[in-house]
Amino acid sequence: MAACVGVCQPLAKRGHTITFLINEAFAGQYAKFGFNEILLKETPKPTENGDKTEAEAKPAEKKNPVKDMAEILKSSGFLGPKSPTEKLRDQVNSPQNFMDKFFNQMVEYNPQIAKAIKNERPDFFILDSFLIPPAIHQAGIPFAYLFSPNPIFLYRSKKLPPFGSGFPTDSDPETWKEYTELWQLQWKKHFLKYQIDINAKFNYEPEEKADPDDIFSFPMSKYLNIYGFPAELDYDDIAPRPKNLVGVDAFCRELPEPFEVPEKLARKPGEKLIYVSLGSMGSIDVELMKRITSVLAKTPHKYIVSKGQRGDEYELPENCWGENFLPQTKILPIVDLVITHGGK
């Protein structure tokens, strides 16, 4: 969400009309920034006993797609303490496939997207999705692909370590081999297969077919691809940036709400104010958050903690204050230090 809003706010200032096509669970989240919303709906799924839908069985619980996704990743071991190679090996050998969820969603969303295109007649699309809806290609509308994880994958260069491996850029490429082979299997099973399947389901034949043996055959846009990454850390000094790939330092939202430090964080001389955030994915591990805050409790400083999707499941120590979601861009200028996972 931060990337989408961060890109679209400057466009709105330039006079463009912005409409978001979003999961209905996010209703109102973009409207508060002044954007239009078109809600994409899913058919309610029956519960195990088959006599009620999930919505009927839990009417008071609002569906949270981000939390659902984080839970899937955590249960798969993707967010665990293992090394990247071990995690990838587990993913390749696992009968679970988290892309099932995205494929099933796209089966329902694609006709709704096609209808919205017909009704709204947009001039341009900005897409932030694991799968590219065939309706966009079939409408012939130019689109930009928005990529918020680490952009090393988009460079498509064998001079750089494989995406998600954690290998330093100056490490020996020989040490990358096992991970690269595993990633190739993962790519075929978890990503490429589903893009091919969704294209076939809606009778879309791509101009260029992806090579299943090429781990760099990510379905980027031929028009424009945008990623957020600090220029100081970017990889264009090691490998040439591909055509139609544009980087920005960060996707920063301008938030309308003011932020004031709570009174309970009033500091005595010598005490520092520190901000703690592990993002939407890292903070899903409640036990990890408890461990971190238990250590913070032993220090003489005050902390603002972004508690994350499951923030209601744990309490903070006396020297900490936080909420599930916080206006980070307004907090950063007023703290003395930031403790963070560093983003994706």
Side-chain angles (χ1 to χ4, degrees), residues 209-319:
K209 291 188 177 181
D211 181 354
D213 295 319
D214 181 7
I215 62 172
F216 300 109
S217 60
F218 190 78
M220 297 168 68
S221 170
K222 67 179 181 181
Y223 302 99
L224 178 66
N225 302 275
I226 308 169
Y227 67 91
F229 205 61
E232 295 84 353
L233 303 178
D234 211 339
Y235 305 104
D236 51 0
D237 59 328
I238 301 174
R241 185 180 293 164
K243 182 182 178 182
N244 297 335
L245 181 60
V246 176
V248 298
D249 278 347
F251 300 118
C252 291
R253 294 172 290 177
E254 293 182 12
L255 302 170
E257 304 90 353
F259 178 80
E260 295 184 4
V261 178
E263 290 185 8
K264 73 166 291 184
L265 295 184
R267 290 169 286 164
K268 299 176 183 178
E271 292 181 342
K272 301 298 183 181
L273 183 61
I274 300 170
Y275 176 58
V276 182
S277 173
L278 298 189
S280 56
M281 294 293 116
S283 61
I284 205 73
D285 189 336
V286 171
E287 292 306 312
L288 174 61
M289 295 300 293
K290 286 180 178 179
R291 284 171 53 202
I292 290 173
T293 54
S294 68
V295 173
L296 302 182
K298 300 175 183 178
T299 72
H301 304 297
K302 300 294 175 66
Y303 298 87
I304 298 174
V305 181
S306 180
K307 299 182 71 179
Q309 305 287 338
R310 298 174 64 186
D312 297 336
E313 299 179 29
Y314 66 97
E315 299 296 327
L316 294 175
E318 187 60 32
N319 64 334

Side-chain angles (χ1 to χ4, degrees), residues 99-112:
M99 285 296 292
D100 283 336
K101 179 179 179 66
F102 294 107
F103 176 81
N104 293 331
Q105 279 184 332
M106 191 58 71
V107 169
E108 295 203 64
Y109 288 171
N110 192 72
Q112 299 175 62

